Amino acid sequence: MHALPHDHTGARIKRLRLERHLTQRALSDLSTVPYSTLTKTEQGVIAATPHVIASLARAMRVDVATVTGQPYASELRADELDVLIRPIREALDVYDLGPDPDIVPRPHQLLADDAEQLLADVRAGEIKKAAGQVPGLIQEVTTAAHTSPTTQGWLLLASTYRTAYDVTTKLGFGDLASMALTRMDWAAQRGSSAVIGGMYRYMRALTYLREGQFRTGDRLVDLGLSTLQQSDPSRERDVVTGQLHLGAAVMAARAQDKARADGHLAEADTLADRTGEAVRVHWLSFGPTNVAVHRVSVSAELDEYGDAAAVGGRIRFGADWPASRRSHHYAELARAQMWTGELDSAFKNLLLARKSAPQQARYHATVRETYAGLEAAKRQLPESFLSYGSWLGA
């Protein structure tokens, strides 16, 4: 039988709890996580759900990343991704210094093409490639925007900051992701784009979703929807508005507010009927397929794992649906199947998550928690399961 990794999430929760001189009963009361759930999670008997992790982190006054163990330093070093983080930090830090005298920026269209390619690379799961190229592009576009300030230039800079956010989020560097979002908003304001402003608030709301701060996340969603109303009606506006509703639906579900979650899903459904599949509009993948994918996430967050597994298993993706989004869905579906006892199917979907976007899956908290949960299920799984754990670094 495969052994649980020594430093699994449950073990980290126990260590943090003891550091704060809390009994299991006291932490259960503070977090509202049921006592039996907490004890089984600490023992590694059951996997920690995002709701449980966020609730316990908030009660112990630590970041969610501290509980999940992100960023996964050993794996980052092994993949030679750790050396790519510092250049991103340095590129984000020069936003207000004006033109760099050592940089001669290329024409706008060439820069725009590179920025678009980086967005596509992230969606294709090419995290290392994007991480290596985005710092230089940020610095070049920063100089271009300061040298000849135009709406196009500032919005292009906002796009490069968005890629920095995408990369650092996927690699588990929450502080850098927040910094990238702040820079994105700074550039978007100079480009006077209400749509980009709405996108910024959507992405910022997701950071509060991960930390379990639902009230602040809801306020950002409301502000984002209000900001979008300042732009002219368009398919672009509908896409970003719909994506905001999808993010809000997951946030409401994680807060165990089913009625609010269903309301946001209904709004997103209506907009998706109007936009159709809009995979490439700001690379948000919005449309009927994404609504269906988020419906699975909502059911899982509400602990309705049977519904999540049933709906998720019926979803079929078009050829143009991004690999990163497919990988995320397979991870969510695997989590739901683990909780319904469909262990073989859960492992098959973990394999699909890795196949779709291996660099993303390796650093995905849901993939790791689901793997740990399958180990804890006390069932003999194929030898390939053990090799999957070795690949994760578990």
Side-chain angles (χ1 to χ4, degrees):
M1 191 67 206
H2 313 312
L4 275 170
H6 175 70
D7 196 34
H8 59 86
T9 296
R12 283 189 291 272
I13 291 169
K14 180 178 180 179
R15 185 172 64 248
L16 289 165
R17 174 178 62 77
L18 292 175
E19 287 173 358
R20 280 150 183 75
H21 308 290
L22 293 170
T23 64
Q24 289 178 321
R25 181 66 66 186
L27 181 55
S28 173
D29 291 342
L30 282 171
S31 64
T32 70
V33 171
Y35 177 77
S36 61
T37 299
L38 172 59
T39 57
K40 291 177 182 177
T41 300
E42 284 193 358
Q43 294 165 4
V45 174
I46 61 174
T49 66
H51 173 71
V52 166
I53 291 172
S55 297
L56 294 173
R58 191 167 60 250
M60 293 187 289
R61 299 188 178 183
V62 298
D63 293 336
V64 163
T66 302
V67 177
T68 59
Q70 294 173 298
Y72 307 116
S74 297
E75 291 77 20
L76 286 164
R77 284 194 297 271
D79 292 341
E80 299 180 344
L81 279 163
D82 58 326
V83 297
L84 302 178
I85 296 302
R86 185 176 180 84
I88 294 176
R89 189 183 301 276
E90 292 172 347
L92 292 173
D93 203 36
V94 299
Y95 72 105
D96 60 345
L97 299 186
D100 187 326
D102 294 331
I103 294 177
V104 179
R106 291 167 292 157
H108 175 85
Q109 190 57 54
L110 292 179
L111 297 176
D113 290 345
D114 280 0
E116 186 72 8
Q117 184 58 52
L118 285 183
L119 288 168
D121 288 340
V122 171
R123 272 83 207 155
E126 297 291 341
I127 309 303
K128 187 172 185 177
K129 178 182 177 183
Q133 294 182 2
V134 74
L137 186 61
I138 288 174
Q139 291 183 333
E140 188 175 3
V141 176
T142 298
T143 289
H146 280 289
T147 301
S148 301
T150 64
T151 295
Q152 279 188 322
W154 291 121
L155 295 184
L156 178 58
L157 183 56
S159 174
T160 65
Y161 288 142
R162 178 195 175 182
T163 295
Y165 162 80
D166 287 335
V167 168
T168 52
T169 296
K170 291 179 184 300
L171 295 181
F173 289 87
D175 63 328
L176 274 185
S178 295
M179 183 188 295
L181 277 184
T182 300
R183 302 294 184 260
M184 178 181 170
D185 183 44
W186 178 85
Q189 287 183 28
R190 280 153 183 76
S192 301
S193 171
V195 170
I196 302 301
M199 278 180 56
Y200 155 73
R201 286 166 178 83
Y202 159 67
M203 293 172 183
R204 189 177 168 198
L206 293 184
T207 67
Y208 285 96
L209 164 65
R210 298 183 193 102
E211 292 296 328
Q213 297 182 35
F214 309 123
R215 181 173 175 274
T216 302
D218 281 338
R219 292 175 65 193
L220 280 163
V221 167
D222 291 342
L223 184 57
L225 293 173
S226 176
T227 300
L228 284 164
Q229 290 305 307
Q230 299 172 24
S231 64
D232 294 332
S234 66
R235 185 170 184 247
E236 179 189 32
R237 188 181 79 172
D238 285 347
V239 164
V240 179
T241 301
Q243 197 66 27
L244 258 170
H245 279 296
L246 290 181
V250 176
M251 185 146 39
R254 192 166 293 183
Q256 305 301 295
D257 188 340
K258 178 175 172 59
R260 187 174 174 85
D262 287 344
H264 282 296
L265 280 176
E267 292 286 351
D269 221 355
T270 298
L271 288 163
D273 285 343
R274 194 153 69 213
T275 65
E277 297 292 354
V279 172
R280 293 177 181 268
V281 177
H282 291 297
W283 291 95
L284 291 171
S285 303
F286 185 70
T289 301
N290 211 3
V291 174
V293 164
H294 279 75
R295 200 175 297 280
V296 173
S297 297
V298 164
S299 293
E301 296 294 351
L302 291 168
D303 298 337
E304 298 172 352
Y305 294 112
D307 290 344
V311 173
R314 293 196 295 267
I315 294 175
R316 297 293 179 267
F317 299 113
D320 61 343
W321 230 65
S324 62
R325 293 296 305 137
R326 291 200 304 271
S327 180
H328 182 88
H329 170 70
Y330 291 135
E332 290 277 2
L333 180 54
R335 174 163 68 103
Q337 290 170 329
M338 174 193 68
W339 283 102
T340 58
E342 303 169 72
L343 304 189
D344 289 329
S345 295
F347 180 47
K348 288 177 182 177
N349 277 300
L350 284 187
L351 290 171
L352 286 173
R354 181 174 71 176
K355 182 179 179 180
S356 299
Q359 292 174 17
Q360 173 176 298
R362 184 162 156 87
Y363 297 98
H364 201 298
T366 299
V367 169
R368 288 170 175 265
E369 294 302 329
T370 302
Y371 175 86
L374 290 175
E375 282 191 317
K378 307 298 184 187
R379 173 173 171 175
Q380 188 66 43
L381 286 164
E383 190 61 29
S384 55
F385 181 72
L386 181 59
S387 66
Y388 195 99
S390 299
W391 171 74
L392 279 179

